[in-house]
């Protein structure tokens, strides 16, 4: 019995000797950086029995931890002194390339004076409304009955509106204002799309993405890539189209106000014609050969695109070969006609026929 008790005591002693001492302080990695946090002051702990063994510290990772390579990092344009959109103006400090649609265009310095997030939200809403209006305006003039239009033009502030159209516009603006009131101070971080945006934009700011209403019924948001780059790329596309639509709808309104004629009247975009397809084909061909240089470099140059010079030479050689073939074919046809003329005088036949007709009806 004494011997067996000695064995049990020795085993228990050796197990306790090799067990690591309890750690009194734990350090948690921050979700905003990949770097290890600064060392914290730990309470003195009892050294393990075996001094050669190191104590492995536990660093639990927070649930919202995101790698820098998987999210948008601020300061993309910090090394650029001038604006990309307007190279001769300095770059606004708030426009550092972190957000979609940021090309450094802010000649009035509004991003430095007003709430940056509110302006982005406002731009997204105006862009979406303008894209709808750019389609709805001409469609109404093409399809709507005349009693809904104002002298053939779409009802607007500048064109005027009949009572029914005016009530419809007032009702729509009231509904839009109510929607604006209910959603202007919304929190989207709890929605599925909001959580994705929180990870994408976590290193930039806490507000997520402007214009996020968690609405994507066709699942198009990941069509450019299901990562932060693809999502930002699609937001770039949306804002670019929206800005063009805002310019377009402004042009519609001023044109109709100045001329008094509908925008669809005598417009090649809304009536079958050959000019518009030819312009599109020419623009497409030009873009295959040439490209505009970087807008942030002065001077802005037009240079050959990738393999553009080779494509241009191929087109020139093709035109030269085609012209040569046509010339050769025309020469052969002329030779054949000359041979027929030498036999049958075909060149003189029309002249003789004309003289015969004149002589026949000379006295009528």
């Amino acid at each position: 019995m004494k011997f067996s008790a000695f064995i049990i005591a020795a085993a228990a002693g050796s197990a306790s000797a090799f067990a690591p001492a309890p750690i009194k302080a734990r350090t948690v990695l921050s979700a905003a950086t990949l770097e290890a946090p600064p060392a914290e002051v730990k309470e003195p702990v009892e050294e393990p029995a075996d001094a050669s063994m190191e104590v492995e510290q536990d660093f639990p990772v927070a649930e919202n931890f995101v790698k820098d390579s998987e999210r948008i990092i601020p300061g993309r344009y910090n090394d650029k002194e001038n604006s990309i959109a307007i190279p001769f103006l300095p770059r606004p400090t708030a426009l550092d390339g972190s957000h979609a649609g940021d090309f450094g265009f802010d000649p009035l310095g509004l991003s430095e004076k007003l709430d940056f997030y509110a302006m982005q939200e406002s731009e997204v809403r105006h862009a979406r409304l303008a894209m709808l209006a750019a389609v709805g305006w001409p469609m109404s003039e093409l399809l709507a009955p005349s009693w809904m239009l104002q002298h053939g033009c779409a009802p607007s502030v500048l064109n005027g509106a009949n009572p029914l159209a005016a009530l419809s516009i007032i009702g729509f603006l009231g509904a839009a204002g109510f929607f604006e009131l209910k959603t202007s101070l919304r929190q989207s971080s709890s929605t599925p799309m909001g959580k994705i945006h929180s990870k994408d934009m976590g290193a930039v700011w806490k507000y997520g993405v402007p214009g996020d209403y968690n609405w994507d019924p066709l699942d198009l948001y990941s069509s450019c890539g299901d990562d932060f780059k693809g999502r930002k790329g699609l937001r770039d596309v949306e804002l670019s189209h929206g800005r063009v639509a805002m310019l377009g709808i402004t042009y519609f309104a001023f044109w109709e106000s100045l001329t008094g004629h509908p925008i669809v009247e005598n417009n090649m975009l809304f009536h079958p014609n050959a000019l518009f397809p030819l312009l599109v084909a020419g623009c497409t061909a030009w873009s295959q050969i040439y490209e505009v240089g970087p807008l942030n470099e002065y001077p802005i140059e037009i240079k050959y695109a990738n393999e553009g010079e080779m494509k241009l030479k191929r087109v020139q050689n093709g035109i030269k070969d085609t012209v040569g073939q046509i010339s050769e074919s025309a020469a052969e046809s002329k030779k054949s006609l000359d041979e027929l003329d030498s036999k049958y005088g075909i060149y003189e036949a029309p002249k003789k026929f004309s003289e015969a007709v004149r002589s026949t009806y000379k006295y009528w």
Side-chain angles (χ1 to χ4, degrees), residues 159-231:
N159 290 338
N162 58 47
L164 182 59
L167 289 176
S168 302
I169 293 173
I170 292 173
F172 174 78
L173 292 178
F178 180 77
F179 177 77
E180 177 84 14
L181 178 64
K182 290 296 184 181
T183 60
S184 60
L185 302 176
R186 73 192 190 284
Q187 284 288 341
S188 62
S189 58
S190 60
T191 63
M193 198 170 290
K195 293 178 180 178
I196 294 176
H197 291 153
S198 296
K199 292 182 179 180
D200 289 350
M201 304 289 290
V204 178
W205 63 356
K206 61 182 179 180
Y207 300 111
V209 169
D212 174 14
Y213 295 101
N214 197 46
W215 191 76
D216 184 23
L218 300 180
D219 195 25
L220 298 176
Y221 198 26
S222 58
S223 58
C224 292
D226 192 12
D227 55 9
F228 74 98
K229 294 180 181 178
R231 287 185 283 271

Side-chain angles (χ1 to χ4, degrees), residues 78-153:
N78 281 348
D79 59 336
K80 301 183 183 299
E81 296 182 357
N82 293 340
S83 166
I84 293 179
I86 313 177
F88 55 84
L89 291 181
R91 178 185 62 84
T93 55
L95 303 181
D96 61 355
S98 303
H99 302 278
D102 180 3
F103 298 102
F105 181 80
D106 185 20
L108 300 181
L110 299 179
S111 61
E112 309 291 337
K113 304 172 185 177
L114 304 177
D115 184 81
F116 192 34
Y117 181 80
M119 286 193 295
Q120 289 188 86
E121 184 83 13
S122 177
E123 182 186 31
V124 170
R125 296 187 183 198
H126 281 79
R128 291 169 179 172
L129 287 175
M131 285 188 283
L132 293 174
V135 177
W137 189 298
M139 292 299 293
S140 65
E141 295 179 346
L142 290 171
L143 303 176
S146 59
W147 56 269
M148 294 184 64
L149 302 175
Q150 190 73 7
H151 306 296
C153 300

Side-chain angles (χ1 to χ4, degrees), residues 163 179 183 236 240 263 318:
F179 177 77
T183 60
D236 276 323
S240 298
I263 192 67

Side-chain angles (χ1 to χ4, degrees), residues 29 106 221 232 241 289 295 306:
L29 280 175
D106 185 20
Y221 198 26
K232 184 180 179 183
H241 283 77
I289 299 174
L295 299 179
N306 186 24

